[in-house]
Amino acid sequence: MSTSLEIASLIALMLFIILVICLIPTVFYVRRKLADLLLATKNLESELHIIVQDSRELVQNVNAITMRVNEQIDDAGKVVHVVAQWAGMANRLVTAVGLIIEPPITGLARNISIFRLGLAVFTQALCSKKTNKQPKEEEDHV
């Protein structure tokens, strides 16, 4: 049994040596890959830092644009308010001018209408007197 124990221990030793021989390059390979991964992570971090900085500038620019748009909207609201006030003043002015000018014009139009009616009646009366005189003259002659 001691021979089989020696053979088993020799096989175990050889397997251990093969394992160590395989593990050493694997460890170096993993170490190199981890170093590459660390370098890529650092590069990514620097690129992400640039992207974050650009994103912050973009947000600041969007905020500035938003503020300008809000100011312009406020200015437009003020202009609309002023225009509404002007429209109200123009309506009041038109109403006042209408109240001042309309009564004399309507009175003048009414007077002209009455004058025309009177003139028409007068001309009809003149015309009817001429036609009425002829039968009377005819009756006088008969």
Side-chain angles (χ1 to χ4, degrees):
M1 184 158 192
S2 121
T3 327
S4 48
L5 192 57
E6 285 179 10
I7 292 176
S9 107
L10 185 61
I11 291 175
L13 183 62
M14 286 170 60
L15 286 174
F16 182 73
I17 290 173
I18 291 173
L19 180 67
V20 169
I21 289 174
C22 290
L23 263 176
I24 290 174
T26 304
V27 168
F28 283 123
Y29 177 76
V30 168
R31 184 173 180 236
R32 189 173 61 228
K33 288 299 176 182
L34 284 175
D36 291 344
L37 183 63
L38 183 64
L39 181 64
T41 305
K42 285 183 181 179
N43 289 339
L44 182 63
E45 182 183 350
S46 65
E47 290 176 9
L48 284 177
H49 180 69
I50 292 170
I51 290 173
V52 167
Q53 185 178 1
D54 290 345
S55 297
R56 286 180 183 156
E57 290 176 8
L58 178 66
V59 168
Q60 289 173 352
N61 291 339
V62 168
N63 285 340
I65 289 171
T66 304
M67 288 175 55
R68 289 181 190 158
V69 167
N70 284 336
E71 288 173 359
Q72 290 179 356
I73 288 173
D74 291 341
D75 291 343
K78 290 175 184 176
V79 167
V80 167
H81 181 68
V82 168
V83 167
Q85 286 178 342
W86 285 356
M89 289 189 317
N91 284 339
R92 287 193 299 274
L93 180 67
V94 166
T95 303
V97 168
L99 290 175
I100 292 170
I101 292 176
E102 187 178 358
I105 289 177
T106 55
L108 181 63
R110 194 175 331 114
N111 289 340
I112 288 173
S113 239
I114 292 171
F115 180 72
R116 261 181 71 198
L117 182 64
L119 187 61
V121 168
F122 180 72
T123 54
Q124 282 180 351
L126 279 179
C127 288
S128 69
K129 280 187 181 182
K130 282 184 182 179
T131 57
N132 287 339
K133 280 185 180 181
Q134 287 175 0
K136 284 184 183 180
E137 288 178 7
E138 287 177 8
E139 288 177 9
D140 289 338
H141 289 298
V142 178

